[in-house]
Amino acid sequence: MPRPISAIHDSFGGREQRLSLRLTLKTGAQISRLDIPAISVYLSEEEAGMNKEAVASAAFANQILPQFSIPAARSLQERPARVLKYGDTFALFDPNGDITSMPGSPEGIFYRDTRHLSHLRLSICGMPPMLLSSTMRDDNAALTCDLTNPDLYRSEGLILEHDLIHLRRVKFVWKSATFERIAVRNFGERRERIVLQIEFAADFADLFEVRGSRRERHGTFHPTQVKADAAKISYTGLDGLLRETRLRFAPQPGDLDANRAIFELDLMPHERAVIFIEIRCNTRPGGLPASNQFFTSLRESRRALRRSASRATAIATSNDVFNEGIRRSIADLYMLTTDLPEGPYPYAGIPWFSTVFGRDALITAMQTLWADPAIARGVLGHLAATQATAKDDAADAEPGKILHEARRGEMAALGEVPFRRYYGSVDATPLFVMLAGAYLERTADVATLRRLWPNIEAALRWIDVYGDRDRDGFVEYGRKSEEGLINQGWKDSHDSIFHADGSVARGPIALVEVQGYVFAAKRAAASIAQRLDLPERALRLDRQAEELQRRFDAAFWDDALGTYVLALDGDKRPCRVRSSNAGHALFSGIALPERAGPVVNGLMSNASYSGWGIRTIATSESRYNPMSYHNGSVWPHDNGLIAMGFGRYGLKHPLMRLLTALFDASLFLELKRLPELFCGFARRAHTGPTAYPVACAPQAWSSASVFAMVGALLGISFEPAARRICLMRPMLPAWLDTLKLSNLRLGGAAVDLLLERRGEEVAPHVVRRSGDVDVVMTA
């Protein structure tokens, strides 16, 4: 994902670079996709202001700031948002339940990459209420905000003491609508006349505008249509689409205009009044009154969440705090998972990435495969349906390539950003084949794999024909369009692939982890071909994998580093950088057995291991910056994949350290929610990890990382033909005495499994069995 601008020296680290930026602005050079607030992070207001015209009129943004970057003029940590989502709709509120239309704020109600409500503010007698508490249900089904009145004055003096009027706001999202119930109660000893005002506005900003992109032109904003109990705000974009936001109130407000609803409440002591608000994006209200619709939709939304989460194996342990973190991760994962025609698909993260991403979903599905294979089936189905069939340089598409990102906003439709359907990731295609093989191994669902086989063959052709650009046996990337992403691995910041001296690598670039994914893809495809009675194809694929493993070790292993290099550049020069990418060679299995120990030692050294997890880049490297997006931060999903690699090679003790680090970090995180990433500063006593200013939270592959680590620690694997669930040398950390897996499925059968730690040994007990399935321990 494009890298946010997180710190001055991350993008303009040296004095010379900052002077260069000033010089560029003073000479009037063309600058594009450049946001004035973002420039102000680096320059004085004068210096940024004198080129506003040039900035606003420029066409692209690769000359100065990283492309498609997220300006970090305001940290999301300053006002932690409350997040709700269902399907293609998500909402971000402040702790009071309001939406504040501040510059740079991601708050709002969004539907399909457009902000349908940009301002929502509740006031009592003209004043904002005081916050008592702001809580999310542990299943993310609803947000509850408890508020009270401040001291209220008029010209004659104090008219209402604080803490006499209680307001409880309950909000949730269902389909394309956001529902709210405001209960107002008078706890005073006398009758009170209260005026509640609800302000609202919709800017219909494209998500990329909210992220910081500037647009010269917009479509047409239509006059707001107001009825007695409803208002409709609408906008026709330059793409010709009419976008509407409909607000409905119950009871009917005393006064309603184009941007506010006013309710005059007359409350006796202990009397309560209730107001309902319904906000719909591009849909009309149903036939029910707003009050009835609230409760009907609330019931349906909770049922849908329970239904989807019930597919997964439940994890419960002897550690109540760890259980809270697990419940939050499960709730976040299933909130982000959207039901597409092909099945459940985890959207990447909120606020910036609540849409289909290929890489993110494939990795999320891989991490959760043992617990919920339905996610993998949905991901494989959708990515097969959207697989590229022709060349399109603007979209970085080639036949057989797997989707990177899809957007449905106005800017994507107009080509102002290239992501309408964009294929610029080098790793999604081999990951697709990897997941297909892992899904078959987990489920023995041959029918699904038979349907997918043409897509798998197309992906393999892409790997061999288009992926290997120079026919050296390695898969490389290089964008086909100036608007495409410069770096196309998971570390896709403009400066994330570099040499030991800090110079940015020139493409085409062969990433270390991608070669591992290709190796695993060939192995997976061979296994699938064997099951589909294609033995000759299976043999060829196995031989290709063996040859790749041999050549990979010769080209990527570096004795002096004691690990694999980060990449090979366009001249086949190795990027001799210690990075977390090397751990993915363990995840994929391409690493020779004798390489595993040195790789693990390097990753768990003080230079790479922060105490909260493994850093993306070691502290010894030239571009190390613990506040950067990809050059020194800690990503939970990255650690999850590395943990799976540790488990593959039987290295359970360092795996336990990673799980413990993630658990310890969650103790300090709001809602115990694992974010997209946090900073890579070394762990200090009695303090938590340092937050990254514009990290998405929740993020699907972060939420899934706990599944990855638990599955790897227990050594879970499946033998569907033998009706066996296997545990290979399971271990538990010292802070877990027991771990129970409920509803662990194999085909139509299921077990509840209790694992008890006795010293370093773990004993499993089947406490419930349904159907024909055995649980066995393997060496």
Side-chain angles (χ1 to χ4, degrees):
M1 294 170 192
R3 184 180 66 86
I5 307 160
S6 61
I8 289 177
H9 88 269
D10 191 7
S11 292
F12 302 103
R15 179 174 174 275
E16 297 79 11
Q17 289 171 299
R18 292 195 293 277
L19 289 173
S20 171
L21 177 59
R22 291 188 174 96
L23 181 61
T24 304
L25 290 172
K26 287 177 179 177
T27 56
Q30 284 279 38
I31 301 167
S32 49
R33 291 196 213 279
L34 192 57
D35 192 46
I36 291 291
I39 299 177
S40 300
V41 174
Y42 310 109
L43 306 179
S44 70
E45 188 173 351
E46 255 165 59
E47 290 169 319
M50 67 187 182
N51 268 270
K52 285 183 181 178
E53 272 186 35
V55 167
S57 64
F60 306 105
N62 295 336
Q63 297 98 324
I64 302 297
L65 287 181
Q67 56 175 180
F68 312 118
S69 57
I70 301 167
R74 177 171 173 259
S75 172
L76 300 184
Q77 310 306 318
E78 295 171 14
R79 283 160 47 98
R82 301 293 182 258
V83 177
L84 297 168
K85 177 191 171 292
Y86 185 87
D88 290 321
T89 307
F90 72 89
L92 270 79
F93 301 100
D94 72 9
N96 281 37
D98 288 341
I99 295 169
T100 306
S101 50
M102 293 172 56
S105 170
E107 292 169 11
I109 297 175
F110 293 79
Y111 177 69
R112 294 189 172 180
D113 294 324
T114 298
R115 183 160 60 184
H116 276 253
L117 201 73
S118 54
H119 181 71
L120 184 70
R121 181 174 179 269
L122 172 68
S123 60
I124 177 170
C125 299
M127 296 291 290
M130 297 190 299
L131 179 65
L132 299 175
S133 70
S134 180
T135 58
M136 293 290 303
R137 276 177 56 105
D138 62 3
D139 62 357
N140 288 330
L143 165 66
T144 299
C145 306
D146 285 291
L147 310 161
T148 189
N149 65 288
D151 287 328
L152 297 175
Y153 295 87
R154 287 185 187 152
S155 56
E156 61 268 29
L158 180 68
I159 61 165
L160 182 64
E161 290 185 12
H162 61 85
D163 302 335
L164 293 179
I165 306 298
H166 176 244
L167 301 94
R168 173 165 290 167
R169 308 177 74 174
V170 177
K171 296 169 172 279
F172 67 95
V173 170
W174 174 237
K175 297 184 177 176
S176 60
T178 302
F179 297 88
E180 178 168 1
R181 176 179 182 266
I182 306 173
V184 185
R185 187 171 182 181
N186 177 12
F187 281 93
E189 297 176 353
R190 65 184 189 189
R191 177 183 183 183
E192 298 292 352
R193 290 181 173 86
I194 303 298
V195 176
L196 285 189
Q197 178 171 287
I198 299 162
E199 301 170 8
F200 54 87
D203 62 2
F204 294 101
D206 188 280
L207 184 73
F208 284 87
E209 285 186 275
V210 179
R211 278 172 46 160
S213 294
R214 296 230 169 202
R215 302 183 68 197
E216 292 181 21
R217 297 173 58 235
H218 289 84
T220 302
F221 291 87
H222 305 292
T224 300
Q225 298 178 22
V226 179
K227 296 181 180 179
D229 65 344
K232 183 177 76 172
I233 313 169
S234 56
Y235 165 81
T236 300
L238 296 175
D239 57 356
L241 287 182
L242 174 66
R243 294 170 171 87
E244 296 180 334
T245 303
R246 296 172 181 263
L247 297 96
R248 185 165 64 138
F249 302 90
Q252 179 180 315
D255 186 24
L256 177 62
D257 61 25
N259 53 35
R260 65 177 184 172
I262 295 176
F263 295 86
E264 296 180 355
L265 307 179
D266 191 347
L267 300 176
M268 299 299 290
H270 302 284
E271 187 179 2
R272 188 180 69 169
V274 178
I275 297 167
F276 294 91
I277 308 171
E278 185 179 304
I279 304 167
R280 291 186 173 271
C281 306
N282 285 7
T283 57
R284 296 175 180 273
L288 295 174
S291 54
N292 292 14
Q293 190 68 62
F294 175 92
F295 291 107
T296 299
S297 298
L298 180 60
R299 185 166 56 250
E300 290 176 352
S301 70
R302 288 182 180 175
R303 283 176 179 168
L305 275 173
R306 281 197 300 270
R307 195 162 49 244
S308 60
S310 67
R311 291 195 314 262
T313 299
I315 304 172
T317 75
S318 55
N319 188 311
D320 290 338
V321 180
F322 186 54
N323 293 342
E324 290 178 28
I326 291 170
R327 284 196 296 271
R328 179 61 62 194
S329 288
I330 291 172
D332 285 351
L333 176 64
Y334 287 95
M335 178 175 70
L336 288 166
T337 299
T338 299
D339 288 325
L340 299 181
E342 300 82 9
Y345 195 102
Y347 283 5
I350 295 174
W352 309 124
F353 309 119
S354 187
T355 187
V356 167
F357 275 81
R359 174 195 302 122
D360 296 61
L362 289 160
I363 288 174
T364 299
M366 205 98 64
Q367 293 182 119
T368 58
L369 182 59
W370 69 268
D372 185 4
I375 293 176
R377 186 172 62 248
V379 169
L380 289 167
H382 184 72
L383 293 178
T386 55
Q387 188 175 27
T389 57
K391 286 193 70 175
D392 180 354
D393 286 352
D396 270 325
E398 292 152 337
K401 202 172 186 185
I402 293 297
L403 186 71
H404 169 67
E405 175 180 0
R407 294 287 184 175
R408 288 180 282 187
E410 183 182 359
M411 292 178 70
L414 295 169
E416 295 176 24
V417 294
F419 304 123
R420 184 173 189 172
R421 189 175 278 190
Y422 181 64
Y423 292 84
S425 62
V426 69
D427 48 5
T429 307
L431 284 168
F432 172 80
V433 182
M434 272 183 75
L435 179 62
Y439 173 75
L440 178 63
E441 185 179 319
R442 168 67 174 88
T443 65
D445 183 359
V446 176
T448 294
L449 269 295
R450 198 177 299 280
R451 284 197 306 273
L452 291 173
W453 182 248
N455 304 96
I456 293 167
E457 283 281 37
L460 293 169
R461 281 194 297 275
W462 179 85
I463 289 170
D464 293 338
V465 175
Y466 296 99
D468 185 3
R469 294 177 168 224
D470 54 11
R471 301 294 181 267
D472 67 341
F474 298 129
V475 170
E476 303 94 3
Y477 67 84
R479 61 181 178 174
K480 295 297 182 70
S481 160
E482 285 302 308
E483 288 199 37
L485 293 176
I486 296 169
N487 282 318
Q488 298 189 353
W490 85 263
K491 294 179 181 177
D492 55 9
S493 301
H494 76 291
D495 61 349
S496 59
I497 309 302
F498 58 94
H499 287 284
D501 63 0
S503 60
V504 174
R506 185 184 66 82
I509 291 170
L511 293 169
V512 59
E513 74 270 20
V514 171
Q515 315 318 311
Y517 301 161
V518 171
F519 166 82
K522 301 272 185 172
R523 288 284 198 214
S527 176
I528 297 167
Q530 198 70 49
R531 292 296 302 273
L532 298 181
D533 299 319
L534 300 169
E536 292 182 5
R537 182 67 170 130
L539 184 60
R540 286 198 304 273
L541 288 163
D542 267 330
R543 285 175 176 168
Q544 290 171 11
E546 289 170 7
E547 174 63 14
L548 175 58
Q549 186 177 40
R550 184 188 64 76
R551 298 186 68 259
F552 169 81
D553 189 72
F556 282 83
W557 181 258
D558 189 303
D559 280 323
L561 288 179
T563 189
Y564 295 106
V565 298
L566 172 61
L568 305 181
D569 71 6
D571 298 320
K572 303 305 171 187
R573 289 194 306 136
C575 298
R576 301 185 65 254
V577 173
R578 294 174 179 86
S579 70
S580 65
N581 303 53
H584 293 225
L586 303 180
F587 162 66
S588 65
I590 196 172
L592 297 175
E594 61 268 27
R595 304 301 191 199
V599 170
V600 172
N601 290 340
L603 292 172
M604 299 307 292
S605 68
N606 290 338
S608 289
Y609 180 70
S610 73
W612 303 116
I614 294 168
R615 300 178 176 99
T616 50
I617 294 295
T619 59
S620 56
E621 304 307 323
S622 57
R623 283 189 174 268
Y624 168 72
N625 173 4
M627 298 176 292
S628 72
Y629 197 47
H630 285 132
N631 288 341
S633 50
V634 173
W635 290 63
H637 93 276
D638 189 27
N639 281 256
L641 294 183
I642 293 169
M644 291 172 75
F646 287 0
R648 173 188 285 276
Y649 287 81
L651 303 165
K652 296 290 183 77
H653 285 94
L655 199 167
M656 277 199 295
R657 286 182 66 193
L658 290 186
L659 179 60
T660 299
L662 207 62
F663 167 61
D664 289 349
S666 74
L667 299 177
F668 296 92
L669 301 172
E670 188 179 31
L671 302 178
K672 296 187 172 52
R673 169 174 284 160
L674 292 173
E676 180 184 15
L677 72 156
F678 35 84
C679 292
F681 291 107
R683 183 171 180 171
R684 293 161 294 170
H686 313 300
T687 60
T690 302
Y692 185 78
V694 288
C696 284
Q699 185 90 349
W701 60 9
S702 294
S703 300
S705 62
V706 67
F707 286 97
M709 291 189 181
V710 169
L713 199 55
L714 300 182
I716 296 178
S717 64
F718 300 84
E719 296 178 2
R723 313 297 303 162
R724 276 203 297 259
I725 298 171
C726 304
L727 303 174
M728 180 176 285
R729 295 192 298 277
M731 295 185 72
L732 291 175
W735 43 273
L736 288 182
D737 294 324
T738 64
L739 184 148
K740 184 180 180 182
L741 303 177
S742 300
N743 197 35
L744 180 58
R745 293 179 177 272
L746 181 60
V751 296
D752 292 351
L753 188 62
L754 179 67
L755 295 107
E756 293 184 287
R757 183 176 58 81
R758 298 166 184 168
E760 288 210 353
E761 300 296 317
V762 171
H765 309 281
V766 175
V767 295
R768 184 188 69 86
R769 190 191 316 264
S770 171
D772 180 17
V773 61
D774 287 325
V775 178
V776 299
M777 294 271 282
T778 61

